[in-house]
Amino acid sequence: MVSIDVRPAIVERIQAVAVWRRERALYDPAAAIDPRQRRSAAGLDELADHVAALQPDDDRLRELHRLAFQGDQFAPGASLLTELGRFRFYDADTTCDGFVDHMLELAAFDRNEHELGGPQVPGDEPWRGS
């Protein structure tokens, strides 16, 4: 069982990505005329609401907590963060629940990439905590 409610941290990050999408539509002339910016931002709002409505003990939240958190912060890796930014940008029909499943796959991929090098010589991993 998830010891803390991770939904607010995940929702906060999704909402931050939605803000980024909206800012691109406001400040980038090429993006301003592209309806995918607004569609993606609206989709991210829907995704945030979907995650907020999940049960706190949803198995997927437990796995996301294990794979993509640093302390109490949702810290998605490169693949997951990239795909969050593309939510409904290219495919308007992506479902929120299906994307939550996909988030797990991406988080697992990112975790494997992070650990790919295996054990390192002590002190040779300055980016990792002790």
Side-chain angles (χ1 to χ4, degrees):
M1 177 162 272
V2 174
S3 60
I4 62 167
D5 187 355
V6 300
R7 296 174 301 172
I10 297 170
V11 166
E12 181 180 348
R13 191 61 179 258
I14 293 169
Q15 289 172 333
V17 176
V19 167
W20 169 76
R21 274 282 172 218
R22 285 189 178 86
E23 287 175 350
R24 286 200 31 98
L26 285 175
Y27 301 114
D28 180 346
I33 61 172
D34 189 346
R36 297 177 299 175
Q37 299 290 345
R38 290 179 297 285
R39 180 179 71 211
S40 180
L44 287 160
D45 291 338
E46 187 179 330
L47 179 62
D49 290 344
H50 179 78
V51 170
L54 292 173
Q55 293 298 313
D57 62 348
D58 187 296
D59 289 338
R60 296 171 297 178
L61 295 176
R62 182 180 304 117
E63 275 300 289
L64 281 174
H65 184 237
R66 184 179 73 80
L67 294 168
F69 270 71
Q70 292 178 358
D72 61 353
Q73 297 296 310
F74 179 51
S79 299
L80 177 50
L81 190 56
T82 297
E83 290 307 310
L84 274 172
R86 293 177 178 170
F87 182 69
R88 290 196 182 154
F89 188 84
Y90 294 110
D91 183 1
D93 297 325
T94 303
T95 66
C96 291
D97 206 55
F99 191 77
V100 171
D101 292 339
H102 189 51
M103 287 172 68
L104 289 175
E105 296 167 6
L106 294 166
F109 176 81
D110 287 336
R111 172 59 63 98
N112 287 338
E113 286 291 304
H114 182 72
E115 296 176 353
L116 188 61
Q120 301 292 314
V121 174
D124 199 30
E125 295 179 295
W127 56 89
R128 283 199 183 167
S130 15

